Each structure stands twice: as structure tokens, then as C-alpha cells.
């Protein structure tokens, strides 16, 4: 089999996911043996007409973004959303909660319509997404898993259990017990419980699990003296779009 | 002599974010030479309001992945100033090591992966894997080392985890710090000296161009200012950080979704070259030696030399990290808890040097520790007017070299500034209406 042609694209984002992907210095040269990087604007001048796998970072937040992502979808066989901005709108979507006109006026004054802007959307709101790598920044273990599977022609596995599970496996001291407001019980695993492993609470950067145990969660929050409203607010940090639409935790 | 020239580089490569270079010359008259910033604005202000002091650094970190540590540092310092949170000497030293790691990571990435291909006439670093394997490997090792600093002290290099107002959620062990120091000594120093030698052999490819401008950076009496200091400008001297708005004077131009800035002149320069010009006397001797070897002498008015100044700083950061680790190990690491007992509420202003230049964060908190107002001024935004001014001087000087050569030199110029466009369109600077 010839090496798959891989391309990377960035939309509205901090480019942290792209950077994170360059952080496997020890494996980087080996990886280059397995794939052929044909387009990657931040690192190279070349462009290509077609790709086997396109990795997309960032959310869709302007009319130009919409056009570009359509063009990429037409050229690629597989499309992978890289990081929470691309998967759910990520931190960019926090602005969706505010009146757009007012926000623009505050920043640009009379020139508010100089730079077209849309609500920050996930890539899947506009074109079909085949696979996702979650996290802000995208979780390194999951990225390597998806990349390897695709290169080998396999279907990557999708995680849908809570960060708590990974955290217990690592035998970390629970940060909830230390008085921190941790979202680990409702956040999707796949990061190896990175934040609690460093003494910090989970901010929910990989988004909620699809099946939240509502009653259990509410009990657990209450037991630690935290409110459901506050939990929702914190979860919105990286997941405003998800929290608005599909998920309701009942008595807010 | 009448000449026409039209250049439009759409989405310039090997820079962070989206920008276009536009040049328009008719009959020898330069109508336009500018960098258009076309990145969609991100409206961070809408995200900050109503968030607690625990979250400020988590949010502003996401303005930019490459500068995430710098944003966290500026953010934490602003929060600590606003809430009256004292931090320990140990916290300060650990943060300084992190700043060094982030600075040399970014500088290595820029000088060796993004800028060097121009000197070797290739379009990316990938062909160099074949032709210049040793230097690519050295650069990768340096990058790894910078990431090790981030991983060990802060959990990860992109959007660090352990930094919180008042301190750290986890203190590294003495063994971890000792291992880090050994790597810096045994691997970091030889690798950076080798990389500097390679850069020296390529120095002939750096375009000759000069335009004196105002140079603005942080300044400290005791050290080459990165983590902290006052503001210093080459035109007007030292100013306290509280005066930053008088210095940055942001304004809107139609060709850029990022605001521009100016102080004493129509533009000013921030970043490694400004720091070098203003503070070179405080560099560690090995860094000074490399500067001399690379032909960098203060004051230097060639913006292309920013890349060289970045390399000099890599040496300084490695040497200073070793010093700081020695001090920490000598004093013994204490298992300190972060100090999160606010003693006041109100406004806090802070600066820090990030790889691309001086960065300001300014927050106002209410009595519940919730953000009411936020402002954040980014290095790339401060450099944009200066880039345009450089282009306007450069294009007529090289007009005889032909379109292709001119385009390349303009791209190299923009790259030399190492612009970070995601940062520049963060748009945090708004007054909230209650
Ligand atoms: S998901 Fe996070 S790290 Fe990735 S681009 Fe978005 S803000 Fe940056
Ligand atoms: S622990 Fe939570 S916040 Fe941290 S990386 Fe994992 S999902 Fe994201």
C-alpha cells in the first residue's frame, strides 16, 4: 500500500492542537515514514489537490470557513476533527451565548460589519466528520490511536466512559475530596485523567459522556457541596454548543 | 522610471494564523504594501465576563496554543495583583523556568523549522530531514527538552495544567528537577551551540535591510527581563506597567481584523530584537558570545535579525534555567499549597515577555472574585504597523530584483517577526457594560 496522503488545516482556533501534534518529537520522524504530509500551511509551502486523510483543527466561525471546509471535504476521503474547537465549537462557542451584534460593536465600533462573523460551530454542523479526537488541546493518546488505526486501515475505537474511571485506575488522590470542583465524573475519558494526575480538577475539555447518570451526578455534586447550575456553567467552558442543545440535566 | 508591481500572497505559509501580503505599485508609485489579517475574530471578551478568578488563566490560555504559557503567566499575575495574592520565591522560580522553556521552544521552532527553510531555499523543514538530518535532530531534541520542562513542571506544554492563582497544584520532585538539569547541561547546551553554528553558516542568506524604529520591551535592573519588569522604550525610557495603555494606543485599520498600535512614532517593534536591543547587557555570557559569533550587535535595526536574536535567547534561557534549578535544589523544594486567600478585590495589571514580545493583561474583579472587565494586548498586534512600515521602505529598495525575489523577501520579513495571528485577533479589549 502506498503511504496515505495526509493534510492538516486550521480554522478558528488557537493552533494548540496542531502544536500538540508536533510534540511527539521522538516519534515524529518515524511517523513521517508511514504517511506523506502533503499540505500543512503552518509548516510548509506545498499544497495538494487530494488527500486520503484531512485533519481539521478549529471551529467554523465565518462565511469563508464554511466555503473552505466544503472544498476540503470534496478533496478528502476521510475527515478527522482534531480537538474540541473542531469537535464541538470548543471554547470559541462561549461567545454564542452573547448577543453577536453587541459583542462586535464593542470591539470594532462603527466598523462592526467589516469582518463577517458567525456563531462558532463544530465542523460536523457543516460537513460530514468521520472521526473525532477530543480535548483542548486534543488528547495525545487518542490522536496517536486514531492516526495509527487509520494508517492501518482499521476503525478507531471511541471512548465513552468517564474520566473518573481512568483516574481511579491511576490511583490518583480524588481532587473532589480535596475540595475542587472536578468534572471528571461526567467528562469523556481518553486523556488518561491528565489534569487530576497533576492535582488539578478536570475542566471537562473532552465534552460530556453521551449517557450522563443524572441522579448519581446530582447526588455526588450535592455531597461535595456543589450546585448543578455551577456544574453546567463550568461544562460550558469548552462545550457551550453541546450543553445548549442535546443535554439537559433536569432540575437546573 | 515607471514600474508596476502587484503581489498578493494568499494565506502566507509557515506563520501562525491567516494573513495575506498585498503589494500594489503603479508607475513606480507604491499604493499599498501591507499585511492583511484575515483570521476570523474570536471575541474572548464575551467569554471572560462573569467567570471566576480560577478560570481566567484557563480561558486566556486558549487565545493561542504557542503562547499559552505566556498568557497564563500574564493572566495569573494580573489576577494576583487584583486580589492581593502573594506568591512564594519558589513559585516565582518555577514559573521563570517555565517561561524559559516556552521561550526557547517557540524560538527554536521558529528559527529552525519555519525560518531556516528560506535560507536553504526549500519550502519546508521536511526536505531538510534528508539533507540536514543532524540539525533537524538537534532541533527536535531541543524542542523535546523544552516540552520536558513543560511536562514536568506544568503537566503539559500546550495549555499547561498546574499553574493556578497563588502557586501550583503540583510541585515537581527534586529528582525530576535534577534530571531536567542534567539534560539541559549534557544535551541542551551542546545542541544549541551546534544549532547556532549552523545558523551562522546561513547568516549570508539573511537579507540586508535597515529601518530604525522604536523598540519596546520589559526591563529589569537585575536580569534579562522575561517573567517580569517595567516597560522600557528606546525613545522614552522606563515606564511603570500601569501606563501601558498610553504606550500601546491601539487603533483599527480596515485591512486587519487585529488592531494596530503606536507610541512615539507611527509604529514600534516588540519581540526578541527589541529585548536584545534594550537589555543585551543582562544576557548571560554564553548568550553574549553567541550573539557576537552571529554578528548581532546592539542596537540592530534589521528586522530580519529577529530570528538571530531568538537563537541568542535560546542560549540565555537554557543557561538561566540551569541556574534556577540549582538554586531551587540548594534551598530544597517545599510542598507548598497555592495561596488563594484574596486580600482585596479590584483591578490588576501585569506584563510578561512572551516569545513574540511584550504582553499585557488587565482585569477588574468584583467582590465575589468574578471578572467584570478584561483587557489584553498582544505582541503581534503591536508589531503589525511596524511590519507595514518595513514593507513600504523595503519594496522600493528591492524593486529591481523581480517579483519572485521581492515576494520571497516580503514573506521572509513577515516570518522574521514570527507573527502569531490567532493571538492578534483575540479581541479581549472591550469595556463591559453593566
Ligand atoms: S481545542 Fe483547544 S487547543 Fe485545540 S485549537 Fe481549540 S482552543 Fe486550541
Ligand atoms: S482531565 Fe478533563 S480537562 Fe483534563 S485533559 Fe482530561 S478531559 Fe480535559
Amino acid at each position: 500500500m502506498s503511504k496515505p496522503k495526509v493534510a492538516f488545516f486550521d480554522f478558528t482556533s488557537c493552533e494548540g492542537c496542531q502544536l500538540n501534534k508536533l510534540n511527539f518529537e521522538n516519534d515524529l520522524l518515524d511517523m513521517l515514514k508511514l504517511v506523506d504530509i502533503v499540505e500543512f500551511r503552518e509548516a510548509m509551502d506545498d499544497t495538494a489537490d487530494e488527500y486520503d486523510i484531512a485533519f481539521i483543527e478549529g471551529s467554523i466561525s465565518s462565511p469563508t470557513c464554511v466555503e473552505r471546509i466544503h472544498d476540503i471535504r470534496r478533496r478528502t476521503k476521510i475527515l478527522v476533527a482534531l480537538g474540541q474547537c473542531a469537535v464541538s465549537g470548543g471554547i470559541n462557542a462561549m461567545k454564542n451565548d452573547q448577543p453577536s451584534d453587541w459583542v462586535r460593536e464593542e470591539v470594532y465600533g462603527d466598523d462592526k460589519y467589516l469582518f463577517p462573523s458567525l456563531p462558532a460551530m463544530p465542523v460536523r454542523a457543516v460537513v460530514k466528520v468521520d472521526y473525532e479526537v477530543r480535548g483542548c488541546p486534543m488528547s495525545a493518546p487518542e490522536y496517536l490511536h486514531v492516526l495509527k488505526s487509520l494508517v492501518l486501515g482499521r476503525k478507531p475505537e471511541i471512548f465513552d466512559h468517564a474520566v473518573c474511571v481512568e483516574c481511579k485506575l491511576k490511583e490518583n488522590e480524588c481532587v473532589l475530596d480535596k475540595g475542587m470542583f472536578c468534572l471528571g465524573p461526567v467528562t469523556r475519558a481518553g486523556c488518561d485523567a491528565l489534569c487530576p494526575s497533576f492535582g488539578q480538577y478536570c475542566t471537562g475539555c473532552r465534552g460530556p459522556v453521551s449517557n450522563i447518570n443524572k441522579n448519581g451526578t446530582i447526588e455526588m455534586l450535592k455531597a461535595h457541596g456543589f450546585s448543578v447550575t455551577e456544574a453546567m456553567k463550568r461544562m460550558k467552558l469548552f462545550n457551550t454548543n453541546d450543553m445548549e442543545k442535546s443535554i439537559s440535566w433536569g432540575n437546573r | 522610471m515607471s514600474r508596476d508591481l502587484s503581489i498578493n500572497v494568499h494565506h502566507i505559509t509557515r506563520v501562525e494564523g491567516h494573513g495575506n501580503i498585498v503589494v500594489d505599485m503603479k508607475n513606480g508609485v507604491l499604493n499599498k504594501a501591507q499585511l492583511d489579517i484575515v483570521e476570523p475574530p474570536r471575541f474572548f471578551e464575551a467569554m471572560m465576563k462573569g467567570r471566576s478568578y480560577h478560570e481566567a488563566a484557563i480561558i486566556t490560555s486558549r487565545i493561542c496554543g504557542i503562547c499559552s504559557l505566556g498568557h497564563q503567566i500574564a493572566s495569573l499575575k494580573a489576577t494576583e495583583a487584583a486580589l492581593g495574592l502573594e506568591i512564594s520565591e519558589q513559585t516565582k522560580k518555577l514559573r521563570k523556568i517555565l517561561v524559559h522553556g516556552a521561550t526557547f521552544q517557540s524560538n527554536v521552532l521558529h528559527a529552525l523549522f519555519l525560518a531556516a527553510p528560506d535560507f536553504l531555499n526549500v519550502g519546508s523543514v521536511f526536505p531538510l530531514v534528508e539533507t540536514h538530518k543532524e540539525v533537524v535532530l538537534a532541533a527536535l531534541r531541543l524542542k523535546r527538552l523544552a516540552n520536558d520542562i513543560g511536562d514536568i513542571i506544568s503537566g503539559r506544554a500546550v495549555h499547561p495544567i498546574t499553574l493556578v492563582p497563588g502557586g501550583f497544584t503540583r510541585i515537581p520532585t527534586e529528582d525530576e528537577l535534577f534530571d531536567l538539569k542534567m539534560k539541559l547541561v549534557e544535551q541542551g547546551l551542546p545542541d544549541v551551540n551546534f544549532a547556532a553554528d549552523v545558523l551562522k553558516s546561513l547568516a549570508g542568506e539573511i537579507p540586508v535591510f535597515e529601518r530604525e524604529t522604536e523598540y519596546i520591551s520589559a526591563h529589569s535592573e537585575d536580569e534579562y527581563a522575561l517573567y517580569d519588569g517595567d516597560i522600557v522604550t528606546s525613545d522614552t525610557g522606563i515606564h511603570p506597567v500601569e501606563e501601558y495603555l498610553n504606550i500601546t494606543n491601539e487603533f483599527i485599520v480596515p485591512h486587519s481584523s487585529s488592531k494596530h498600535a503606536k507610541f512615539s512614532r507611527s509604529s514600534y517593534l516588540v519581540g526578541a530584537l527589541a529585548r536584545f536591543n534594550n537589555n543585551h547587557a543582562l544576557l548571560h555570557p554564553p548568550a553574549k558570545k553567541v550573539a557576537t559569533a552571529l554578528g548581532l550587535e546592539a542596537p540592530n535595526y534589521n528586522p530580519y535579525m529577529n530570528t538571530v536574536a531568538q537563537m541568542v535567547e535560546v542560549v540565555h534561557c537554557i543557561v538561566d534555567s540551569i541556574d534556577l534549578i540549582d538554586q531551587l535544589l540548594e534551598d530544597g523544594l517545599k510542598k507548598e499549597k497555592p495561596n488563594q486567600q484574596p486580600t482585596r478585590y479590584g483591578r490588576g495589571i501585569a506584563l510578561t515577555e512572551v516569545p513574540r514580545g511584550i504582553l499585557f493583561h488587565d482585569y477588574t474583579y468584583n467582590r465575589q472574585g468574578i471578572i467584570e472587565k478584561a483587557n489584553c494586548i498582544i505582541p503581534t498586534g503591536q508589531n503589525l504597523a511596524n511590519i507595514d512600515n518595513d514593507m513600504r521602505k523595503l519594496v522600493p529598495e528591492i524593486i529591481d530584483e523581480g517579483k519572485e525575489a521581492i515576494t520571497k523577501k516580503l514573506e521572509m520579513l513577515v516570518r522574521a517577526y514570527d507573527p502569531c495571528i490567532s493571538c492578534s485577533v483575540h479581541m479581549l479589549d472591550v469595556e463591559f457594560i453593566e
Side-chain angles (χ1 to χ4, degrees):
Chain A
M1 195 180 90
S2 65
K3 291 201 255 179
K5 289 196 203 106
V6 174
F8 297 97
F9 300 94
D10 56 311
F11 285 75
T12 303
S13 70
C14 80
E15 307 207 353
C17 290
Q18 307 239 32
L19 192 68
N20 219 22
K21 163 188 90 221
L22 290 175
N23 284 352
F24 316 108
E25 292 83 357
N26 303 334
D27 305 323
L28 211 57
L29 296 187
D30 288 336
M31 228 133 81
L32 287 177
K33 289 183 193 139
L34 297 177
V35 300
D36 203 1
I37 300 181
V38 293
E39 188 163 339
F40 182 8
R41 186 193 54 79
E42 284 163 297
M44 62 200 275
D45 295 348
D46 298 338
T47 56
D49 294 333
E50 277 179 3
Y51 338 103
D52 295 308
I53 312 170
F55 285 98
I56 309 295
E57 178 199 66
S59 37
I60 306 298
S61 77
S62 78
T64 331
C65 295
V66 177
E67 280 172 32
R68 273 181 69 219
I69 193 70
H70 277 82
D71 185 51
I72 293 165
R73 182 68 260 194
R74 271 202 303 277
R75 293 159 188 264
T76 189
K77 292 192 187 115
I78 299 173
L79 190 147
V80 184
L82 207 60
Q84 212 62 8
C85 286
V87 170
S88 78
I91 200 155
N92 297 317
M94 275 172 80
K95 75 164 185 178
N96 298 357
D97 258 5
Q98 310 266 342
S100 140
D101 225 48
W102 170 76
V103 166
R104 296 190 207 194
E105 207 169 295
E106 284 301 305
V107 179
Y108 295 116
D110 288 344
D111 297 320
K112 66 176 167 179
Y113 295 125
L114 207 52
F115 310 105
S117 175
L118 296 170
M121 294 178 283
V123 175
R124 69 173 134 75
V126 189
V127 296
K128 178 171 174 247
V129 170
D130 299 297
Y131 301 103
E132 296 177 337
V133 180
R134 291 170 170 257
C136 177
M138 59 106 180
S139 306
E142 193 175 41
Y143 168 69
L144 282 177
H145 170 70
V146 169
L147 183 69
K148 277 186 196 148
S149 309
L150 293 180
V151 168
L152 295 171
R154 294 198 194 122
K155 232 184 149 92
E157 209 182 310
I158 294 162
F159 302 93
D160 198 6
H161 53 273
V163 165
C164 258
V165 178
E166 287 178 331
C167 199
K168 300 259 147 52
L169 279 174
K170 290 184 89 176
E171 298 180 6
N172 289 331
E173 188 188 345
C174 177
V175 297
L176 274 167
D177 294 340
K178 288 199 272 180
M180 287 179 166
F181 199 147
C182 186
L183 293 174
V186 289
T187 301
R188 221 179 255 247
C191 61
D192 220 8
L194 193 57
C195 300
S197 306
F198 278 88
Q200 174 68 308
Y201 62 88
C202 169
T203 52
C205 86
R206 291 179 45 82
V209 287
S210 63
N211 239 327
I212 291 177
N213 170 354
K214 271 188 225 161
N215 296 335
T217 304
I218 291 166
E219 281 312 307
M220 186 270 315
L221 288 171
K222 277 195 190 138
H224 288 89
F226 302 129
S227 78
V228 176
T229 323
E230 179 65 17
M232 289 287 289
K233 186 176 169 196
R234 291 195 176 216
M235 201 61 170
K236 273 186 169 183
L237 198 62
F238 294 105
N239 307 286
T240 301
N241 288 334
D242 289 356
M243 302 314 282
E244 288 296 303
K245 279 189 213 117
S246 52
I247 295 159
S248 153
W249 289 2
N251 47 346
R252 289 212 216 169
Chain B
M1 200 166 43
S2 83
R3 283 201 189 80
D4 293 348
L5 176 73
S6 161
I7 291 175
N8 192 339
V9 179
H10 181 70
H11 289 180
I12 174 175
T13 57
R14 285 182 277 138
V15 301
E16 198 284 349
H18 296 100
N20 304 337
I21 295 175
V22 181
V23 175
D24 175 34
M25 192 175 206
K26 285 243 156 54
N27 301 323
V29 179
L30 189 62
N31 297 319
K32 224 185 220 180
Q34 66 195 30
L35 177 66
D36 289 1
I37 300 298
V38 294
E39 185 85 19
R42 295 176 69 211
F43 304 110
F44 265 79
E45 74 280 15
M47 315 179 183
M48 293 293 278
K49 193 191 178 185
R51 289 281 169 178
S52 98
Y53 71 90
H54 292 286
E55 293 172 308
I58 296 175
I59 297 172
T60 49
S61 180
R62 269 72 186 180
I63 291 173
C64 169
I66 302 182
C67 316
S68 53
L69 188 267
H71 279 294
Q72 289 201 1
I73 296 277
S75 178
L76 294 172
K77 282 170 54 180
T79 296
E80 285 157 1
L83 306 184
L85 301 173
E86 293 288 334
I87 60 165
S88 70
E89 272 309 305
Q90 174 175 302
T91 294
K92 229 179 252 176
K93 284 179 182 158
L94 286 170
R95 284 185 185 175
K96 283 183 182 178
I97 300 172
L98 285 171
V99 169
H100 288 334
T103 307
F104 91 72
Q105 151 105 288
S106 174
N107 287 7
V108 163
L109 192 70
H110 176 254
L112 298 171
F113 290 95
L114 306 180
D118 283 324
F119 306 144
L120 294 160
N121 276 312
V122 289
S124 78
V125 72
F126 298 119
L128 305 182
V129 176
E130 300 295 325
T131 58
H132 295 71
K133 189 152 189 181
E134 284 314 308
V135 63
V136 173
L137 286 176
L140 281 173
R141 279 195 301 269
L142 282 169
K143 222 176 90 47
R144 181 65 256 161
L145 188 51
N147 278 323
D148 284 344
I149 296 181
D151 288 351
I152 288 165
I153 305 179
S154 67
R156 76 185 158 211
V158 178
H159 304 317
I161 295 168
T162 60
L163 294 100
V164 291
F168 285 88
T169 60
R170 176 187 180 271
I171 311 285
T173 66
E174 293 186 354
D175 286 349
E176 284 172 333
L177 279 192
F178 182 78
D179 289 348
L180 203 53
K181 179 198 149 174
M182 293 319 286
K183 274 195 207 161
L184 286 161
V185 172
E186 288 170 0
Q187 198 201 82
L189 286 175
D191 278 343
V192 70
N193 283 319
F194 171 64
D197 280 348
V198 173
L199 194 61
K200 190 179 162 196
S201 71
L202 298 174
E205 303 295 323
I206 296 174
V208 182
F209 169 71
E210 277 196 350
R211 193 181 69 81
E212 197 216 344
T213 183
E214 185 171 21
Y215 299 89
I216 300 187
S217 69
H219 174 77
S220 150
E221 292 299 316
D222 318 315
E223 60 186 6
Y224 188 83
L226 291 170
Y227 174 76
D228 206 6
D230 295 319
I231 306 169
V232 68
T233 102
S234 55
D235 284 357
T236 65
I238 293 175
H239 303 258
V241 63
E242 287 72 23
E243 282 178 21
Y244 81 102
L245 284 174
N246 297 337
I247 295 199
T248 52
N249 302 301
E250 287 190 308
F251 57 101
I252 295 176
V253 291
H255 66 278
S256 161
S257 51
S258 160
K259 292 181 184 176
H260 283 205
K262 63 176 174 205
F263 183 40
S264 312
R265 314 182 186 197
S266 63
S267 71
Y268 63 85
L269 183 146
V270 298
L273 189 61
R275 292 191 288 261
F276 178 83
N277 279 347
N278 293 340
N279 301 322
H280 59 98
L282 291 153
L283 284 167
H284 282 295
K288 284 184 183 161
K289 231 175 93 189
V290 168
T292 313
L294 290 171
L296 181 66
E297 233 177 88
N300 184 295
Y301 302 139
N302 180 356
Y304 289 98
M305 289 297 272
N306 190 49
T307 308
V308 173
Q310 287 180 327
M311 208 61 209
V312 170
E313 289 189 335
V314 177
V315 182
H316 176 83
C317 289
I318 292 180
V319 173
D320 204 56
S321 301
I322 296 169
D323 274 9
L324 285 164
I325 295 179
D326 278 342
Q327 293 171 29
L328 284 167
L329 291 178
E330 205 176 291
D331 297 345
L333 277 177
K334 292 172 258 335
K335 288 260 166 275
E336 297 171 339
K337 294 248 153 12
N339 166 20
Q340 301 198 331
Q341 300 299 322
T343 56
R344 58 182 286 266
Y345 292 96
R347 185 169 176 196
I349 302 173
L351 68 76
T352 197
E353 283 284 344
V354 287
R356 289 152 190 83
I358 195 163
L359 167 69
F360 303 98
H361 281 219
D362 171 1
Y363 307 147
T364 304
Y365 285 96
N366 71 11
R367 299 200 65 79
Q368 282 72 46
I370 301 291
I371 293 179
E372 287 186 332
K373 191 171 151 184
N375 185 21
C376 179
I377 295 186
I378 304 288
T380 292
Q382 298 176 67
N383 269 335
L384 289 173
N386 209 61
I387 296 178
D388 287 357
N389 279 345
D390 280 351
M391 286 191 183
R392 280 194 277 273
K393 178 163 190 280
L394 178 66
V395 171
E397 286 180 11
I398 57 172
I399 191 71
D400 292 325
E401 295 182 13
K403 183 168 169 173
E404 199 181 319
I406 297 172
T407 307
K408 180 172 176 189
K409 280 196 178 159
L410 288 173
E411 289 190 32
M412 284 173 76
L413 176 73
V414 173
R415 269 182 215 125
Y417 278 86
D418 192 6
C420 190
I421 294 172
S422 294
C423 268
S424 72
V425 294
H426 70 289
M427 296 308 162
L428 195 78
D429 40 346
V430 342
E431 307 241 333
F432 294 116
I433 307 162
E434 275 310 306

